[in-house]
C-alpha cells in the first residue's frame, strides 16, 4: 500500500492551464491604491475561476487486506497514542483562539471540497467534531440543515455562525456521542484535529453510528499541529503514514462501504503573463500590478498541503 501511495502522490498534477489575465495598457492607473485594487481584483478573479475545478484527487482506496488485523481488532498500544503533554486538555484549550490553523489556500480547498461533496443533496445535516469558531462550510451552493458543533471552547463555538447548536465536550475524556440518536447526520467532519484524539477507536465507532446509510465522514488534515498535544505515532509519520493511520481508524472501528484517501488542495494557480517592455513603458503601473499578482499567486501555490480520508457508511 505504501508503494501505491508513493506512486500516486508523485503523479498528482501540480498545475493546470488557465487563460492568463493580461494587464490592460489602456487608460492606466492614477494612484498606488488603484494599482493595488487592480492587482487584488486580478488575483481574486483567478481564485474564483479556480473553484470551478473539482477540488480533489483520489490518492488510493483502502481495502480490508491492506491492514494487519480484521475490523473489530485494535493494533495500537498506549505508547502509540501517548503525547508529550498529557495534562488535562481543558487547560490547553481554556483560552479561546480565534485564529485559523491552516493557510487561506488550504481553507479555500477544504470549502471547495465540501461544496463538491454536499451540493447534490438537500438539507444536509452536519456534525462538526472538534469544532471551533469557524467550520469552513460553504455559504453558498449547498443546502444545509442542522449543523452541530462539538468542541472544547464554548466562546469559540458560540462565535461560529454556521452552527445551529453546539456541545462543549472533551472527546478524549468522553468519546461517546450519546446526545445524538443513531443515523442522525449525513456528514461528519473533523478538521485538522484527528491527530489529537487519544481514543480514536471509540470516536470513529460513534461517527459510524450517528451517520445515516450512505452518509460520509470527512477527516481532514494538513502538516501543522500543536506537537505537544498530537499523539506519538502522528509525529513520527509522514503524509503517507498519516493517511494510513486515519484509514486504519476507519477500518478497525466498523464496516465502512469505502475508505478513500484524497488530496484536496486546489490546482496550482498559473502566474500571470509578465507584461512586455512596450506595455511597461506605456503604462508603468502594469509592472506593479503584475508583480503584486504574481507574488500573491506564488504565496498561494506554496502553502499548506490538504488531505482528507473519507469514509462512506
Amino acid at each position: 500500500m505504501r508503494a501505491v501511495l508513493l506512486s500516486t502522490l508523485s503523479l498528482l498534477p501540480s498545475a493546470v492551464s488557465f487563460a492568463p489575465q493580461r494587464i490592460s495598457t489602456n487608460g492606466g492607473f492614477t494612484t498606488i491604491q488603484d494599482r493595488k485594487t487592480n492587482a487584488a481584483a486580478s488575483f481574486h478573479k483567478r481564485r474564483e475561476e479556480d473553484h470551478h475545478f473539482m477540488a480533489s484527487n483520489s490518492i488510493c482506496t483502502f481495502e480490508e487486506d491492506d491492514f494487519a488485523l480484521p475490523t473489530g481488532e485494535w493494533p495500537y498500544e498506549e505508547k502509540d497514542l501517548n503525547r508529550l503533554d498529557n495534562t488535562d486538555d481543558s487547560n490547553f484549550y481554556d483560552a479561546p483562539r480565534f485564529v485559523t490553523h491552516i493557510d487561506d489556500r488550504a481553507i479555500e480547498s477544504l470549502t471547495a471540497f465540501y461544496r463538491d461533496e454536499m451540493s447534490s443533496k438537500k438539507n444536509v445535516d452536519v456534525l462538526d467534531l472538534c469544532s471551533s469558531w469557524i467550520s469552513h462550510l460553504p455559504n453558498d451552493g449547498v443546502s444545509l440543515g442542522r449543523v452541530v458543533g462539538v468542541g472544547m471552547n464554548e466562546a469559540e463555538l458560540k462565535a461560529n455562525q454556521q452552527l445551529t447548536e453546539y456541545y462543549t465536550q472533551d472527546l478524549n475524556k468522553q468519546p461517546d456521542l450519546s446526545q445524538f440518536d443513531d443515523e442522525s447526520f449525513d456528514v461528519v467532519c473533523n478538521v485538522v484535529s484527528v491527530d489529537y484524539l487519544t481514543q480514536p477507536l471509540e470516536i470513529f465507532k460513534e461517527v459510524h453510528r450517528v451517520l445515516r446509510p450512505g452518509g460520509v465522514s470527512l477527516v481532514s488534515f494538513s502538516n501543522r499541529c500543536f506537537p505537544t498535544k498530537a499523539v506519538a505515532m502522528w509525529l513520527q509519520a509522514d503524509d503517507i503514514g498519516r493517511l494510513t493511520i486515519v484509514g486504519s481508524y476507519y477500518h478497525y472501528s466498523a464496516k465502512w462501504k469505502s475508505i478513500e484517501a484524497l488530496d484536496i488542495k486546489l490546482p496550482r494557480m498559473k502566474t500571470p503573463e509578465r507584461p512586455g517592455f512596450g506595455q511597461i513603458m506605456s503604462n508603468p503601473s502594469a509592472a506593479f500590478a503584475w508583480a503584486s499578482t504574481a507574488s500573491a499567486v506564488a504565496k498561494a501555490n506554496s502553502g499548506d498541503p490538504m488531505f482528507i480520508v473519507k469514509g462512506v457508511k
Side-chain angles (χ1 to χ4, degrees):
M1 174 56 68
R2 184 175 178 87
V4 172
L5 285 164
L6 277 169
S7 62
T8 307
L9 282 170
S10 69
L11 292 173
L12 288 176
S14 59
V16 296
S17 296
F18 292 88
Q21 300 296 306
R22 296 183 180 275
I23 302 170
S24 172
T25 58
N26 298 322
F29 308 115
T30 58
T31 66
I32 292 293
Q33 185 58 45
D34 288 338
R35 299 173 191 175
K36 290 181 177 178
T37 300
N38 182 271
S42 175
F43 177 62
H44 289 299
K45 182 178 181 182
R46 301 175 75 79
R47 279 184 162 175
E48 289 171 4
E49 291 174 345
D50 203 10
H51 291 174
H52 291 294
F53 287 79
M54 291 298 290
S56 67
N57 289 292
S58 180
I59 297 173
C60 73
T61 57
F62 292 100
E63 307 296 340
E64 287 192 20
D65 58 7
D66 291 325
F67 302 98
L69 300 175
T71 300
E73 300 291 329
W74 187 241
Y76 301 117
E77 301 177 6
E78 183 178 352
K79 64 180 180 180
D80 299 315
L81 297 166
N82 192 27
R83 300 177 297 173
L84 294 172
D85 178 6
N86 282 316
T87 59
D88 196 321
D89 289 336
S90 62
N91 297 328
F92 186 82
Y93 295 104
D94 182 57
R97 293 181 175 90
F98 294 105
V99 297
T100 54
H101 301 287
I102 46 179
D103 65 23
D104 289 346
R105 187 65 168 171
I107 291 172
E108 290 173 4
S109 300
L110 182 58
T111 301
F113 179 84
Y114 284 161
R115 185 178 291 107
D116 289 344
E117 187 69 33
M118 302 179 195
S119 59
S120 63
K121 305 166 186 174
K122 299 293 185 183
N123 298 318
V124 180
D125 292 325
V126 179
L127 174 60
D128 185 15
L129 293 182
C130 304
S131 188
S132 181
W133 68 282
I134 185 170
S135 293
H136 308 302
L137 296 168
N139 291 317
D140 54 51
V142 298
S143 172
L144 296 176
R146 184 184 184 198
V147 180
V148 184
V150 174
M152 290 285 292
N153 187 281
E154 186 169 10
E156 293 177 5
L157 294 167
K158 189 174 182 179
N160 190 329
Q161 297 182 1
Q162 293 187 307
L163 300 181
T164 60
E165 60 190 279
Y166 66 81
Y167 296 85
T168 304
Q169 180 175 337
D170 182 350
L171 292 173
N172 285 340
K173 284 185 175 179
Q174 184 186 347
D176 68 275
L177 300 171
S178 56
Q179 65 268 49
F180 306 121
D181 293 335
D182 295 354
E183 302 180 2
S184 296
F185 297 97
D186 302 297
V187 177
V188 178
C189 304
N190 183 303
V191 180
V192 296
S193 297
V194 67
D195 42 329
Y196 306 127
L197 300 179
T198 59
Q199 300 191 65
L201 179 61
E202 292 78 3
I203 293 168
F204 275 68
K205 284 181 177 179
E206 283 289 86
V207 168
H208 189 271
R209 179 184 66 79
V210 302
L211 277 173
R212 295 175 179 133
V216 296
S217 169
L218 304 173
V219 176
S220 60
F221 66 89
S222 185
N223 58 0
R224 300 194 196 190
C225 68
F226 296 116
T228 59
K229 284 297 184 181
V231 298
M233 63 179 176
W234 191 269
L235 296 178
Q236 296 162 5
D238 57 13
D239 288 340
I240 295 171
R242 291 167 180 173
L243 289 167
T244 305
I245 288 170
V246 180
S248 74
Y249 289 170
Y250 281 108
H251 167 74
Y252 291 117
S253 66
K255 290 287 187 181
W256 296 82
K257 185 180 295 183
S258 65
I259 306 168
E260 182 179 15
L262 299 153
D263 179 347
I264 68 163
K265 190 71 177 284
L266 285 168
R268 291 174 61 87
M269 301 169 69
K270 187 175 180 181
T271 303
E273 184 177 332
R274 184 173 182 174
F277 179 76
Q279 290 176 299
I280 294 173
M281 291 301 294
S282 63
N283 181 15
S285 59
F288 180 91
W290 174 83
S292 298
T293 304
S295 176
V297 168
K299 181 178 180 181
N301 286 341
S302 62
D304 300 335
M306 201 66 198
F307 304 102
I308 276 183
V309 183
K310 172 183 174 180
V312 180
K313 181 174 177 179

